[in-house]
Amino acid sequence: YFVKVAWAWTFWLLLPFITITTYQFAESKFLYGPTKSILAVLRRLSALLVGTVIWYVCTSLFMYIENLTGMCSTSGELSEPRRLYTTKQECHQDNGIWNGFDISGHCFLLSYCALMIVEEVAVLEGLSIDQNSKLHVVINGLFVSLCFLTMIWVFMFLCTAVYFHDFSQKLLGVLIGLSAWYGTYRFWYLKPFSPGLPLPNIPLSSKKHSYSR
């Protein structure tokens, strides 16, 4: 159940992290006023809305494909009339086993969430905060929580890779997760009309990952 709501865990930790770091960066580095800083925060937070849409569309598509390609196997008596099942849920209600092409939603979501967290925490490379401030403690706490969450996602990804799904189902799930990350952070977010990259809008590949403490 923890991994099935992986996006919720990722969303609720990234929400305050993006809000605080973006506002702080816009105000201290770019010298934005309160109004412009808030607009910068809202723009960056729209990345979470994009992630929510990607999560919903992809998982719904996976379920549709599984229902479209599947058949139900039940242990009913031979004399009983054979029932036609159209969905996995109907099959499970009669204690049946649904055999369909089940693209690994776990591989898709865990890879996408982990990459998104890594992209967003990279903003700390250019953020300098007084060590004695409460804000420094809050950001550090969120950073550690996100790192711990990423470790959990990687561990659960390995468990899924070892114990669940066929190879093709896992591979397709990972490729879709990588495509979602690449299409946003490496392509769309570089454009003017997008949520944009984490301030100061430098791609992760060019950062040194040296968090100034």
Side-chain angles (χ1 to χ4, degrees):
Y1 288 102
F2 195 90
V3 70
K4 284 188 178 295
V5 290
W7 177 246
W9 292 107
T10 304
F11 181 96
W12 289 114
L13 275 178
L14 281 178
L15 180 64
F17 181 84
I18 293 175
T19 301
I20 296 172
T21 55
T22 302
Y23 188 89
Q24 185 69 18
F25 211 110
E27 195 176 47
S28 62
K29 298 292 184 180
F30 293 165
L31 302 178
Y32 287 174
T35 301
K36 199 169 183 180
S37 296
I38 291 173
L39 291 176
V41 170
L42 292 176
R43 181 189 179 189
R44 285 294 305 121
L45 285 178
S46 62
L48 294 177
L49 178 61
V50 172
T52 302
V53 172
I54 290 174
W55 160 74
Y56 181 79
V57 170
C58 289
T59 52
S60 298
L61 178 63
F62 296 167
M63 293 175 60
Y64 175 78
I65 292 175
E66 186 180 12
N67 286 330
L68 188 66
T69 59
M71 294 182 61
C72 185
S73 300
T74 61
S75 57
E77 296 182 3
L78 296 177
S79 58
E80 295 180 357
R82 190 177 183 85
R83 179 184 171 185
L84 180 63
Y85 298 90
T86 57
T87 65
K88 183 178 180 179
Q89 287 72 22
E90 292 178 358
C91 178
H92 285 176
Q93 286 176 358
D94 284 357
N95 298 320
I97 299 175
W98 187 261
N99 299 307
F101 190 75
D102 183 16
I103 301 174
S104 179
H106 290 180
C107 286
F108 150 72
L109 190 57
L110 294 174
S111 59
Y112 178 62
C113 286
L115 289 169
M116 186 174 184
I117 290 173
V118 171
E119 290 282 357
E120 294 297 337
V121 298
V123 72
L124 295 180
E125 183 272 336
L127 191 63
S128 180
I129 302 174
D130 183 7
Q131 292 185 5
N132 298 323
S133 68
K134 293 182 179 179
L135 186 60
H136 187 273
V137 175
V138 172
I139 292 177
N140 272 350
L142 289 170
F143 174 70
V144 171
S145 299
L146 285 166
C147 289
F148 182 70
L149 187 65
T150 304
M151 291 172 60
I152 294 176
W153 292 162
V154 172
F155 173 74
M156 290 188 168
F157 181 90
L158 292 174
C159 290
T160 302
V162 173
Y163 294 108
F164 300 97
H165 297 281
D166 295 336
F167 176 78
S168 59
Q169 298 169 354
K170 290 181 285 193
L171 178 62
L172 188 55
V174 172
L175 290 177
I176 294 174
L178 292 176
S179 298
W181 160 75
Y182 190 88
T184 50
Y185 284 91
R186 289 293 181 271
F187 180 73
W188 182 31
Y189 290 179
L190 299 176
K191 308 298 181 182
F193 298 101
S194 71
L197 293 172
L199 296 179
N201 296 330
I202 301 175
L204 178 63
S205 57
S206 64
K207 292 179 178 290
K208 295 180 181 178
H209 308 287
S210 57
Y211 175 29
S212 301
R213 295 185 177 275

